[in-house]
């Protein structure tokens, strides 16, 4: 079975994981220093199998690396190519794979391709981007808006035309209707695969190619909204999810398959599960993995999560591998979203058990294993361009430095001021405080991940939802000769569950509860408790 079907991935926001040179910003050397924490081959470490690094390419950082000015190098802020080679080697030595963030939809406006493209209408790189004449009134060529607010077009005075940017004006969109662009990005992919990376997380896959005629988007049906203004005012019929994107993905999959053992996980930010499922192709010929964002944004509750999983089980091609995730660098941390004065910590444990027992590839976000919450960012420390335009949906809070210990700088940096302030509750929410405490959240994540690693039903078994009391999500994971029952009580009242057959409690989210055979044919679940049972 392909490694990426059984792996637990861990997203590292490189700027915030480890700062080796004391400038307040995370770097590759700082990351390498923490590899043993992630996996040293023993259950004393977290035990993750693969790392996703947010962009490390040279960038003027208007969107913190998601504006690439050179696809084949490492930004000096993070180190050099040699540091990346060392990181890959050191990770591989610990049996961890490394995937990089590939940002194909747009470049930085400082990329040499765009600098050439904007120079003259006749420049050979002109058609590498999307240029159009102004509308008759001098305004933008159509009504498209940027995901980050405002028009998706900026007028460039040098040549008197507008260029398209789905995000910031500093992030011009490439033109994938030009075969030279398709070729150039495939060369970038090969460049990194030749260097030994195990694959890519692919940024905004669904936007890579737009309507050939650049038609106006229709207004949406009433009641459908997006947290970011402007963008939610339209149906995105023509500026994303075009049929031709699948040709690009099929070609990329052929490249991956030719190298072997490589993967891609797509950021397909579409909430219509049918449209999202299409990016897997037939299950073998497009994206090997693609995030389920409906699941990520689900409200707390057994019913809600169960329905997203049911949908994914029904709609994905049978060979496709679902990808579940609860937190990322683009969304408030789930420890914060699901917080509760009384049940916050129990919910974090239950969420972890859910994520790590479903049929699919789980992605963790750095710091969730110690229960990191969103940081509080004073207005004068806001960095994220989205946060500057729309403070309520800024993404700095989920990007604050990793808490290694409770010292100033949280063990992340020796600088007086890290690039973003240290998050809340660092006295308890840190690795040093939790590492030797068997009841800590970190210890629970480790136990859960190592248990999963050794479990055939969890890593490769089928999933079947069973009936259960309201608030309790009960499902079975089954592989030949082995059966597990997972029961997740999202509610705050105890529940009793009948078990048909002899059962052994393998793992509970309750740190006080020991594993062992059940003496009655009933499983008593405490409030907000999850349990894994082996059934004979
Ligand atoms: C993706 C990234 C996000 C970035 C955007 C533009 O959504 O995850 O962080 O701002 O693309 O590249
Ligand atoms: Ca640094």
């Amino acid at each position: 079975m392909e490694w990426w079907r059984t792996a637990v991935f861990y997203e590292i926001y490189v700027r915030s994981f480890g700062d080796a040179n004391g400038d307040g910003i995370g770097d590759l050397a700082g990351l390498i220093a923490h590899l043993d924490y992630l996996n040293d081959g023993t259950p004393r470490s977290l035990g993750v199998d693969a790392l996703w690094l947010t962009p490390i390419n040279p960038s003027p950082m208007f969107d913190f690396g998601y504006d690439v000015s050179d696809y084949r190098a490492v930004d000096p802020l993070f180190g050099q190519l040699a540091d990346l080679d060392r990181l890959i080697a050191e990770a591989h030595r610990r049996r961890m794979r490394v995937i990089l963030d590939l940002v194909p939809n747009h470049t930085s406006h400082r990329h040499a391709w765009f600098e050439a493209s904007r120079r003259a209408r006749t420049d050979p790189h002109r058609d590498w981007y999307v240029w159009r004449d102004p509308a008759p009134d001098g305004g933008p060529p159509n009504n498209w808006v940027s995901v980050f607010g405002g028009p998706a077009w900026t007028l460039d005075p040098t040549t008197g035309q507008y260029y398209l940017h789905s995000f910031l004006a500093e992030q011009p969109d490439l033109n994938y209707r030009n075969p030279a662009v398709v070729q150039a990005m495939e060369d970038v992919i090969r460049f990194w695969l030749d260097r030994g990376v195990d694959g890519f997380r692919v940024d905004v896959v669904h936007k890579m190619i737009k309507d050939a005629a650049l038609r106006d988007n229709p207004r949406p049906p009433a009641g459908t909204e997006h947290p970011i203004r402007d963008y939610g005012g339209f149906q995105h019929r023509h500026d994303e999810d075009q049929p031709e994107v699948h040709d690009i993905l099929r070609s990329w999959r052929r490249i991956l398959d030719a190298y072997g053992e490589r993967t891609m996980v797509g950021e397909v930010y579409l909430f219509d599960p049918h449209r999202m499922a299409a990016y897997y192709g037939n299950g073998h010929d497009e994206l090997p993995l693609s995030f389920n964002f409906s699941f990520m944004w689900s409200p707390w509750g057994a019913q809600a999560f169960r329905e997203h999983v049911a949908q994914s089980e029904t709609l994905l091609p049978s060979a496709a591998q679902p990808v579940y995730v609860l937190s990322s660098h683009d969304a408030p941390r789930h420890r914060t979203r699901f917080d509760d004065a009384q049940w916050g910590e129990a919910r974090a444990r239950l969420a972890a058990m859910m994520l790590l027992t479903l049929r699919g590839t789980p992605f963790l976000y750095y710091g969730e294993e110690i229960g990191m919450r969103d940081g509080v960012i004073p207005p004068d420390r806001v960095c994220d361009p989205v946060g500057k335009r729309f403070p309520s949906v800024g993404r700095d809070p989920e990007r604050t430095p990793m808490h290694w210990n409770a010292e100033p700088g949280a063990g992340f940096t020796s600088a007086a001021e890290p690039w973003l302030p240290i998050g809340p509750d660092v006295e308890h929410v840190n690795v040093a405080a939790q590492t030797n405490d068997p009841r800590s959240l970190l210890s629970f994540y480790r136990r859960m991940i190592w248990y999963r690693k050794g479990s055939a039903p969890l890593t490769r078994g089928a999933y079947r939802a069973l009936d259960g009391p309201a608030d309790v999500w009960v499902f079975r994971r089954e592989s030949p000769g082995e059966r597990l029952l997972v029961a997740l009580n999202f509610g705050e009242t105890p529940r009793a569950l009948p078990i048909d057959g002899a059962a052994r409690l393998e793992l509970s989210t309750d740190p006080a509860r020991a594993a062992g055979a059940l003496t009655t044919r009933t499983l008593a679940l405490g409030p907000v408790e999850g349990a894994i049972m082996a059934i004979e």
Side-chain angles (χ1 to χ4, degrees):
M1 181 174 279
E2 295 102 330
W3 65 268
W4 42 266
R5 290 181 188 264
T6 57
V8 174
F9 280 73
Y10 186 90
E11 177 188 356
I12 294 182
Y13 196 74
V14 178
R15 287 182 81 89
S16 289
F17 202 63
D19 171 23
N21 66 354
D23 64 357
I25 299 173
D27 45 51
L28 294 178
L31 201 174
I32 292 169
H34 290 299
L35 288 177
D36 277 338
Y37 164 79
L38 296 170
N39 196 341
D40 69 1
T42 77
R44 287 189 307 270
S45 63
L46 192 56
V48 295
D49 308 290
L51 310 177
W52 152 26
L53 272 49
T54 53
I56 52 159
N57 300 125
S59 163
M61 304 285 170
F62 284 87
D63 191 19
F64 293 92
Y66 287 96
D67 48 327
V68 174
S69 54
D70 179 356
Y71 284 101
R72 295 164 188 251
V74 171
D75 194 289
L77 206 53
F78 302 127
Q80 302 181 341
L81 264 181
D83 296 305
L84 186 70
D85 291 341
R86 192 156 65 89
L87 168 63
I88 294 169
E90 289 291 322
H92 284 175
R93 215 159 59 74
R94 293 167 176 83
R95 292 170 193 252
M96 285 186 285
R97 317 268 181 160
V98 178
I99 67 169
L100 298 183
D101 217 312
L102 179 72
V103 189
N105 176 70
H106 44 269
T107 67
S108 160
H109 65 312
R110 304 249 174 89
H111 194 291
W113 298 339
F114 188 69
E115 286 179 342
S117 182
R118 78 194 310 181
R119 217 167 280 146
R121 293 193 187 200
T122 53
D123 190 277
H125 278 91
R126 184 65 167 183
D127 195 38
W128 281 45
Y129 294 83
V130 185
W131 292 96
R132 283 296 182 281
D133 284 332
D137 67 355
N142 68 20
N143 70 357
W144 296 357
V145 287
S146 150
V147 177
F148 292 167
W153 297 92
T154 290
L155 182 65
D156 200 39
T158 316
T159 56
Q161 284 193 312
Y162 281 86
Y163 66 89
L164 179 69
H165 50 88
S166 297
F167 296 88
L168 300 174
E170 293 83 3
Q171 295 169 293
D173 281 32
L174 284 162
N175 173 19
Y176 280 86
R177 295 190 180 274
N178 179 348
V181 170
V182 175
Q183 182 64 49
M185 202 49 69
E186 294 193 349
D187 289 346
V188 167
I189 290 172
R190 289 199 185 86
F191 173 84
W192 291 109
L193 294 179
D194 286 337
R195 251 191 133 88
V197 310
D198 300 291
F200 304 91
R201 175 267 188 184
V202 188
D203 196 57
V204 289
V205 175
H206 56 297
K207 286 214 169 268
M208 275 199 291
I209 196 156
K210 287 88 180 169
D211 177 45
L214 303 177
R215 281 170 288 180
D216 275 354
N217 277 326
R219 290 281 177 184
T224 44
E225 279 209 335
H226 190 275
I228 298 180
R229 262 195 340 247
D230 306 356
Y231 195 75
F234 293 92
Q235 263 176 290
H236 294 280
R237 189 175 298 163
H238 301 306
D239 60 351
E240 63 182 30
D241 195 29
Q242 301 300 298
E244 296 89 340
V245 72
H246 299 285
D247 300 329
I248 300 175
L249 294 177
R250 277 189 288 270
S251 177
W252 289 5
R253 183 63 182 267
R254 284 192 292 270
I255 298 175
L256 293 180
D257 289 347
Y259 278 82
E261 298 263 303
R262 314 297 173 104
T263 196
M264 266 185 191
V265 55
E267 182 200 29
V268 181
Y269 235 113
L270 299 173
F271 289 100
D272 176 338
H274 292 89
R275 289 164 66 197
M276 197 288 248
Y279 285 72
Y280 284 99
N282 65 14
H284 293 291
D285 62 350
E286 293 193 36
L287 286 175
L289 299 168
S290 186
F291 294 113
N292 185 329
F293 289 108
S294 314
F295 176 89
M296 181 171 105
W297 286 104
S298 170
W300 183 254
Q303 189 73 11
F305 281 116
R306 180 170 46 202
E307 269 164 25
H308 289 301
V309 169
Q311 231 167 19
S312 152
E313 290 287 318
T314 317
L315 294 178
L316 262 46
S318 60
Q321 176 78 358
V323 178
Y324 296 111
V325 60
L326 289 169
S327 287
S328 83
H329 67 288
D330 287 330
R333 287 179 175 274
H334 70 274
R335 181 67 181 83
T336 296
R337 281 188 287 123
F338 301 146
D339 205 1
D340 178 273
Q342 189 176 356
W343 302 109
E345 164 101 10
R347 286 180 171 193
R349 289 166 191 270
L350 192 70
M353 183 174 273
M354 167 177 75
L355 196 59
L356 292 160
T357 53
L358 289 173
R359 187 186 78 81
T361 298
F363 274 66
L364 311 181
Y365 184 51
Y366 82 97
E368 77 170 67
E369 72 277 19
I370 52 172
M372 272 176 67
R373 287 196 188 78
D374 283 350
V376 178
I377 317 293
D380 64 325
R381 298 281 306 268
V382 171
C383 293
D384 176 31
V386 176
K388 287 180 181 167
R389 285 188 188 180
F390 308 106
S392 67
V393 289
R395 300 170 296 177
D396 294 319
E398 61 263 25
R399 298 176 177 181
T400 61
M402 176 73 177
H403 298 177
W404 296 103
N405 59 44
E407 286 160 28
F412 161 74
T413 186
S414 58
E417 260 321 355
W419 77 285
L420 283 176
I422 304 296
D425 295 333
V426 66
E427 320 77 70
H428 321 286
V429 180
N430 74 69
V431 172
Q434 294 187 21
T435 195
N436 295 320
D437 173 2
R439 293 174 162 234
S440 69
L441 185 61
L442 177 57
S443 295
F444 178 71
Y445 265 87
R446 286 179 183 146
R447 261 202 303 282
M448 190 58 240
I449 291 170
W450 284 92
Y451 178 79
R452 186 184 190 280
K453 224 189 276 296
S455 163
L458 290 187
T459 48
R460 47 201 81 200
Y463 163 91
R464 212 178 99 204
L466 303 179
D467 289 338
D471 278 353
V472 187
W473 182 6
V474 190
F475 56 87
R476 193 188 275 167
R477 297 295 315 276
E478 198 164 359
S479 63
E482 259 187 278
R483 256 201 312 172
L484 292 182
L485 192 72
V486 181
L488 307 170
N489 181 10
F490 283 73
E492 287 148 27
T493 35
R495 298 284 180 190
L497 216 69
I499 309 284
D500 59 342
R504 206 191 105 85
L505 179 70
E506 299 278 285
L507 205 61
S508 159
T509 57
D510 179 351
R513 194 160 176 179
L518 292 187
T519 47
T520 65
R521 296 214 152 183
T522 307
L523 170 73
L525 277 174
V528 198
E529 183 188 355
I532 304 176
M533 271 149 307
I535 307 286
E536 282 193 355

